Amino acid sequence: MLLELADELMVAPQRMLMVGDTTHDLQMAEAANSAAVGLAQGAHPREQLAACRPLALFDSLEQFHRWLVPSR
């Protein structure tokens, strides 16, 4: 799916960031050679997401937002 999106948007998969709440999401990003972060508010527990070695793992959207857009 990420490769299809990259093709449709004319963006290299290496320039994409997958935000996933399942191991399937994080594995899809790895297969597409895309970066990924995990959000531990979904179907899979934090431990399973961490095993996929995402760039970062967040417990809330607020944490993700602070990481994505750091305050000055």
Side-chain angles (χ1 to χ4, degrees), residues 14 22 25 31-32 46 60:
Q14 298 82 0
T22 69
D25 297 331
R46 179 179 247 288
S60 69

Side-chain angles (χ1 to χ4, degrees), residues 13-63:
Q14 298 82 0
R15 294 184 44 94
M16 298 176 79
L17 176 66
M18 174 68 177
V19 179
D21 67 349
T22 69
T23 57
H24 308 295
D25 297 331
L26 302 179
Q27 290 167 352
M28 179 173 46
E30 184 177 7
N33 200 23
S34 296
V37 297
L39 185 60
Q41 290 188 318
H44 293 160
R46 179 179 247 288
E47 297 77 26
Q48 288 181 0
L49 297 174
C52 293
R53 300 179 321 274
L55 289 175
L57 186 54
F58 306 102
D59 293 315
S60 69
L61 284 173
E62 182 181 334
Q63 283 182 340

Side-chain angles (χ1 to χ4, degrees), residues 17 58 61-72:
L17 176 66
F58 306 102
L61 284 173
E62 182 181 334
Q63 283 182 340
F64 170 59
H65 184 263
R66 284 195 309 261
W67 178 81
L68 189 63
V69 184
S71 60
R72 296 177 190 198

